[in-house]
């Protein structure tokens, strides 16, 4: 990457994705977006360098001596989890990334992802981000634009509306039985047709009165 303001995340967990249709809160402009959870075990020095490059590009190099005057897109997940260790924000950094235009969405083979259910809250991804500075209505800071997402692997479903039904209803959910229609047992047994209609000689005449063509 030649642009120092751009950054590729380590493997991270994506939640609250809106990657196939833009969404908005209140009166804001609809955008494609997602929230990325990055484990605190990762080295975030490369991300910090990209943020510094974005700050210097917008406000000049002198801002590097006063970075605390800016707002940053990266937040402490422990504060959002409020001490709940089972909260998926716990021990994570998180940031919301957005784009006016749909980001590039690919799998680990570099193939385009076109099915929305492939990129769900809880899957593991790497994201390509563009940091940029803003100065708007007295607020100055750095924001994160989303350029591309690569799904690395599946993960535990997380976020609003995501329910692990196998876990919740595990006492009643069972494997669906399968029928081999080519098996000897099926073809020499009663068979599907005989179960429904009885002997072939007793099959009722078709009633076509409700077919519209």
């Amino acid at each position: 990457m030649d642009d120092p303001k751009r950054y590729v995340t380590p493997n991270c967990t994506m939640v609250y994705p809106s990657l196939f249709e833009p969404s908005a809160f209140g009166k804001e402009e609809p955008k494609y977006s997602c929230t990325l959870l990055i484990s605190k075990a990762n080295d975030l020095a490369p991300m910090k360098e990209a943020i510094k490059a974005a700050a210097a590009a917008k406000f000049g190099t002198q801002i590097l001596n006063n970075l605390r005057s800016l707002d940053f897109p990266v937040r402490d997940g422990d504060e959002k989890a409020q001490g709940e260790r089972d909260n998926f924000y716990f021990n994570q950094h998180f940031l919301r990334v957005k784009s006016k235009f749909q980001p590039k969405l690919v799998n680990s083979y570099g193939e385009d992802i076109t099915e929305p259910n492939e990129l769900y809250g809880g899957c593991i991804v790497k994201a390509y981000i563009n940091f940029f500075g803003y100065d708007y209505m007295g607020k100055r800071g750095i924001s994160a634009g989303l350029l591309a997402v690569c799904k690395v692997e599946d993960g535990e479903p997380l976020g609003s509306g995501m329910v692990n039904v196998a876990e919740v209803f595990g006492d009643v959910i069972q494997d669906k039985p399968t029928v081999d229609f080519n098996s000897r047992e099926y073809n020499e047994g009663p068979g599907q047709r005989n179960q429904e209609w009885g002997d072939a000689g007793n099959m009722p005449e078709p009633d076509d009165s409700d077919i519209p063509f």
Side-chain angles (χ1 to χ4, degrees), residues 32-72:
Y32 299 91
S33 63
C34 66
T35 295
L36 303 173
L37 307 179
I38 303 176
S39 171
K40 290 185 176 180
N42 287 290
D43 178 13
L44 296 186
M47 180 192 288
K48 292 178 180 180
E49 290 303 314
I51 289 174
K52 289 179 182 179
K58 177 65 176 179
F59 305 108
T61 56
Q62 69 276 5
I63 196 65
L64 300 180
N65 297 317
N66 191 26
L67 288 172
R68 291 183 179 275
S69 66
L70 301 177
D71 290 328
F72 296 105

Side-chain angles (χ1 to χ4, degrees), residues 179 181 185-187 189-200:
V179 177
F181 294 101
E185 290 79 4
Y186 180 85
N187 288 287
Q192 183 66 28
R193 180 183 297 269
N194 288 345
Q195 288 181 23
E196 293 179 355
W197 299 110
D199 294 335

Side-chain angles (χ1 to χ4, degrees), residues 58-59 71 133-141:
K58 177 65 176 179
F59 305 108
D71 290 328
Y134 64 86
D135 188 347
Y136 181 70
M137 297 183 66
K139 295 184 178 181
R140 304 200 310 169

Side-chain angles (χ1 to χ4, degrees), residues 5-9 19 31-36 38 47 50-51 54-55 71-75 94-101 103 127-134 141-148:
K5 303 186 298 300
R6 295 187 174 186
Y7 169 71
V8 178
T9 70
L19 300 175
K31 293 183 179 181
Y32 299 91
S33 63
C34 66
T35 295
L36 303 173
I38 303 176
M47 180 192 288
I51 289 174
D71 290 328
F72 296 105
V74 184
R75 300 285 188 268
F94 72 96
L95 67 158
R96 189 75 174 168
V97 287
K98 302 179 181 181
S99 175
K100 292 181 179 179
F101 308 101
Y128 186 30
I129 296 170
N130 177 58
F131 290 107
F132 59 93
Y134 64 86
I142 306 299
S143 192
L146 180 60
L147 301 175

